Amino acid sequence: MARRSGSTLRTVRFYEEAGLLKPQERTEGGHRLFTDCELKKLNLISDLRAAGFSLDEIKDLLTVKEQSPTGAHAASCLMEKLDDRLATIGERIDALQRVRTVLSNTKEMVAGCAACDHSPLFPTRCGECEVMSEAGEPAVDVLWKVDR
Amino acid sequence: MARRSGSTLRTVRFYEEAGLLKPQERTEGGHRLFTDCELKKLNLISDLRAAGFSLDEIKDLLTVKEQSPTGAHAASCLMEKLDDRLATIGERIDALQRVRTVLSNTKEMVAGCAACDHSPLFPTRCGECEVMSEAGEPAVDVLWKVDR
DNA sequence: TTGCTCCTCACGTCACGTGAGGTGGC
DNA sequence: TTGCTCCTCACGTCACGTGAGGTGGC
């Protein structure tokens, strides 16, 4: 089970302890036996964890049905929660793309230093070097222009 | 400082303890005083943390210069590390987009249940309902088709 | 003098990792 | 009988959160 989902034994036991997974039964010797559906659930949990959701937030999704009196109620409740999660994922993608742009800009600026020929300005006064443009990327200031 | 970067006092102190930030000096009473550059650094650290990097991975970027003998060496070393981070960010964006697709598909399937009229199949046998198509999205199996 | 903010311990939390010592099952 | 895998404690780790009790500085 753990191997087939790409997670670890410890993780499976931890999710069981948290009430997210339930082994259908145990062998005589205590080994956990899981159904195929629990494997699908573990895969979904892993995906949602990778997307940055807490186990509580995940449990909240997994227990919608058992907390809803009718099918219509469960459906609208689940759809609302899914919209929340989708919005959060959108924000996280945007944030990652912004960081990507920052690092990419930084790389481009530092590319001009690949031929730095033992400049006396290195390492503490690179900000005064003619190679550095004035394009104000704060990350470049931090990572490159000054030191300490 | 903490407020101006959107983080907390505790976080600033923790980063200082981890060797990522250094207050330029302290007041008589022990209050930390930071330079503008340290604020930029804190903002960069926050962005990289939000992108899922550990403090060790961040420190690794921040100390490239002081560990490099020449400017050319520092530049190529930093660019290599930036490429690594950019690749990781790309993978994380892809993963988030896959999860977004999964949740979006799930929402679309469950939308058909908004008018569920006290079906006797709810809540444990929704998988047998005619409303459910056969499009095999495992997340739908887990969140909707069966229960427990 | 009165608030508000900052200070330093120090314990708590979340999601696991990592042995320590023991058993199951082919 | 021999490996390999699984089992249960139980302590460790990472990145902070959260009081407890005290001081600074306007």
Side-chain angles (χ1 to χ4, degrees):
Chain A
M1 166 88 163
R3 271 185 302 280
R4 285 174 62 187
S5 78
S7 65
T8 69
L9 282 171
R10 180 67 178 101
T11 299
V12 171
R13 290 179 197 127
F14 187 77
Y15 291 170
E16 183 191 347
E17 202 177 333
L20 291 170
L21 293 176
K22 284 161 214 154
Q24 200 183 17
E25 57 175 332
R26 298 267 194 144
T27 66
E28 188 92 1
H31 287 53
R32 292 165 177 81
L33 297 175
F34 290 97
T35 64
D36 184 59
C37 187
E38 293 296 289
L39 176 59
K40 289 178 189 169
K41 195 195 282 188
L42 175 55
N43 282 324
L44 178 61
I45 296 172
S46 300
D47 286 348
L48 290 170
R49 280 291 300 141
F53 296 108
S54 71
L55 293 185
D56 272 356
E57 287 168 324
I58 294 168
K59 194 170 185 175
D60 189 46
L61 282 182
L62 292 173
T63 58
V64 165
K65 275 190 88 174
E66 61 194 63
Q67 287 175 1
S68 295
T70 69
H73 180 274
S76 70
C77 180
L78 180 58
M79 286 173 65
E80 193 182 329
K81 288 177 195 294
L82 288 176
D83 272 336
D84 284 358
R85 304 297 189 271
L86 285 167
T88 302
I89 290 174
E91 288 165 19
R92 285 178 185 158
I93 289 175
D94 290 349
L96 280 168
Q97 280 168 346
R98 279 194 300 274
V99 176
R100 179 159 65 176
T101 302
V102 167
L103 296 190
S104 188
N105 288 345
T106 303
K107 194 193 156 193
E108 213 163 317
M109 292 228 65
V110 174
C113 307
C116 177
D117 199 10
H118 299 276
S119 163
L121 297 174
F122 179 84
T124 54
R125 290 162 62 211
C126 291
E128 300 168 30
C129 185
E130 56 181 8
V131 172
M132 293 283 103
S133 83
E134 284 298 322
E137 175 67 82
V140 177
D141 290 16
V142 172
L143 287 171
W144 206 247
K145 289 196 179 179
V146 283
D147 214 42
R148 307 204 155 254
Chain B
M1 165 87 164
R3 271 184 302 281
R4 287 174 62 187
S5 77
S7 66
T8 70
L9 283 171
R10 181 67 177 100
T11 300
V12 171
R13 291 179 197 128
F14 187 77
Y15 291 171
E16 183 191 348
E17 202 177 333
L20 292 171
L21 294 176
K22 283 162 215 154
Q24 201 184 14
E25 55 176 333
R26 298 267 194 144
T27 68
E28 188 94 1
H31 288 53
R32 291 166 177 82
L33 297 175
F34 290 98
T35 64
D36 185 58
C37 186
E38 291 298 288
L39 176 59
K40 288 178 188 169
K41 196 196 281 190
L42 175 55
N43 282 324
L44 178 61
I45 296 172
S46 300
D47 286 348
L48 290 170
R49 280 291 302 139
F53 295 108
S54 72
L55 294 185
D56 271 357
E57 287 167 325
I58 294 168
K59 194 169 186 176
D60 190 45
L61 282 183
L62 293 173
T63 58
V64 165
K65 274 189 90 174
E66 59 193 65
Q67 286 175 3
S68 294
T70 69
H73 180 274
S76 72
C77 180
L78 180 58
M79 286 174 66
E80 192 182 329
K81 287 177 195 295
L82 287 176
D83 272 335
D84 284 359
R85 304 295 189 272
L86 284 167
T88 302
I89 290 175
E91 287 165 20
R92 284 178 185 156
I93 290 176
D94 290 348
L96 280 168
Q97 280 168 345
R98 279 195 300 275
V99 175
R100 178 158 68 177
T101 302
V102 167
L103 296 188
S104 187
N105 288 344
T106 303
K107 195 193 156 194
E108 213 163 315
M109 292 227 66
V110 173
C113 307
C116 177
D117 198 9
H118 301 277
S119 162
L121 297 175
F122 179 85
T124 52
R125 289 162 62 210
C126 292
E128 301 168 28
C129 185
E130 55 182 8
V131 172
M132 293 283 103
S133 83
E134 286 297 323
E137 176 66 81
V140 176
D141 291 16
V142 172
L143 287 170
W144 206 247
K145 289 196 176 179
V146 283
D147 216 42
R148 311 211 148 249

